[in-house]
């Protein structure tokens, strides 16, 4: 199955993390795109210049691409040495993408998405800047999650030290963590906020929790 890459950053990360999966790179103005690559990703200029062809893109960078989806790695659902992120029914593809981006940056073992949103929808891949290619990203059911589950919730107990192999659940934009995942959680944990602030954006909350883990580790 293929995935559409919208924009230079999505193409860049696909080329960097999974070059063999990239099928097509196009740009409205190939020489301008190569100049952009020289500026933003000098490590990729040779491969980018070799592969880019003239073609349509409605992204502001004028760059687009197509790649194969990586083979699905479901082993992270049961075995891992860093947190597995679970996005519980995210509604906004941009939020899901931003969460995948920070999961890749902070060193999470993977991201599992519970709910109807396709984790590989082009808008999610655009939101992650193509960092889907840097770690396993998959759809999963609650019953498939193995290991200690911590649910992030503004009304939970103080976060404390995040274990390496934890399943870290982030709730959806409006409804928060579902009753099913809340029941599965051994801890419900919160990030402190200034009085009067009701909640953080889901990717922001995830970022704080993952970096609390990473900076301690
Ligand atoms: C926009 S919030 C959801 C707000 C929702 N109205 C609720 O009642 O939970 C999205 C998700 O971000 C996480 N989150 C937001 N603020 C948080 C905080 N202060 N501590 C821990 N998690 C937080 C939670 O996982 C939450 O479900």
């Amino acid at each position: 199955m293929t995935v559409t890459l919208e924009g230079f950053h999505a193409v860049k990360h696909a080329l960097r993390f999974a070059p063999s999966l990239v099928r097509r790179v196009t740009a409205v103005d190939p020489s301008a795109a190569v100049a952009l690559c020289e500026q933003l990703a000098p490590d990729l200029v040779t491969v980018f210049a070799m592969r880019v062809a003239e073609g349509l893109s409605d992204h502001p960078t004028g760059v687009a691409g197509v790649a194969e989806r990586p083979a699905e790695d479901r082993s992270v659902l049961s075995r891992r040495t860093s947190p597995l992120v679970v996005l519980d029914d995210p509604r906004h593809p941009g939020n899901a993408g931003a969460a995948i981006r920070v999961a890749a940056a902070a060193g999470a073992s993977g991201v599992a998405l519970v709910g109807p949103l396709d984790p590989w929808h082009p808008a999610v891949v655009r939101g992650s800047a193509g960092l889907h290619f840097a770690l396993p990203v998959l759809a999963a059911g609650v019953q498939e999650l193995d290991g200690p589950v911590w649910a992030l919730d503004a009304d939970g107990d103080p976060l404390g030290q995040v274990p390496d192999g934890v399943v870290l659940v982030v709730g959806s934009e409006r409804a928060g963590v579902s009753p099913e995942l809340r029941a599965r959680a051994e801890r419900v944990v919160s990030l402190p906020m200034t009085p009067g602030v009701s909640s953080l954006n889901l990717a922001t909350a995830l970022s704080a929790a993952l970096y609390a883990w990473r900076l301690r580790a």
Side-chain angles (χ1 to χ4, degrees):
M1 210 183 307
T2 58
V3 58
T4 305
L5 307 172
E6 298 179 352
F8 176 76
H9 297 287
V11 170
K12 170 188 76 178
H13 284 128
L15 282 174
R16 194 174 279 151
F17 288 100
S20 64
L21 297 180
V22 178
R23 293 284 162 265
R24 195 162 64 238
V25 180
T26 53
V28 176
D29 178 347
S31 349
V34 172
L36 186 67
C37 190
E38 272 162 2
Q39 199 188 329
L40 300 181
D43 56 313
L44 295 173
V45 174
T46 309
V47 67
F48 187 86
M50 246 164 43
R51 301 188 67 166
V52 68
E54 192 173 334
L56 296 177
S57 163
D58 58 7
H59 190 270
T61 58
V63 176
V66 175
E68 295 285 330
R69 289 191 191 192
E72 201 167 72
D73 176 6
R74 302 192 79 77
S75 69
V76 286
L77 297 175
S78 49
R79 284 189 313 279
R80 56 195 166 262
T81 54
S82 62
L84 169 70
V85 171
V86 171
L87 304 179
D88 183 9
D89 198 15
R91 300 302 170 99
H92 191 290
N95 280 338
I100 291 166
R101 184 175 185 168
V102 73
S109 61
V111 178
L113 201 144
V114 173
L117 179 64
D118 173 9
W120 285 86
H121 187 284
V124 183
V125 178
R126 180 174 175 151
S128 81
L131 282 162
H132 280 63
F133 293 92
L135 79 177
V137 174
L138 61 157
V142 174
Q143 68 292 342
E144 291 180 90
L145 305 172
D146 195 13
V149 175
W150 284 23
L152 283 168
D153 184 279
D155 294 325
D157 299 325
L159 180 67
Q161 193 154 349
V162 179
D164 290 341
V166 76
V167 177
L168 202 53
V169 178
V170 194
S172 87
E173 292 85 347
R174 191 168 297 174
V177 177
S178 67
E180 191 183 7
L181 270 162
R182 215 173 265 273
R184 177 76 176 70
E186 78 180 36
R187 292 199 67 206
V188 178
V189 290
S190 69
L191 297 152
M193 295 186 295
T194 301
V197 178
S198 26
S199 71
L200 295 162
N201 165 276
L202 70 87
T204 308
L206 175 66
S207 175
L210 281 179
Y211 274 96
W213 164 76
R214 176 159 178 155
L215 294 173
R216 279 222 185 95

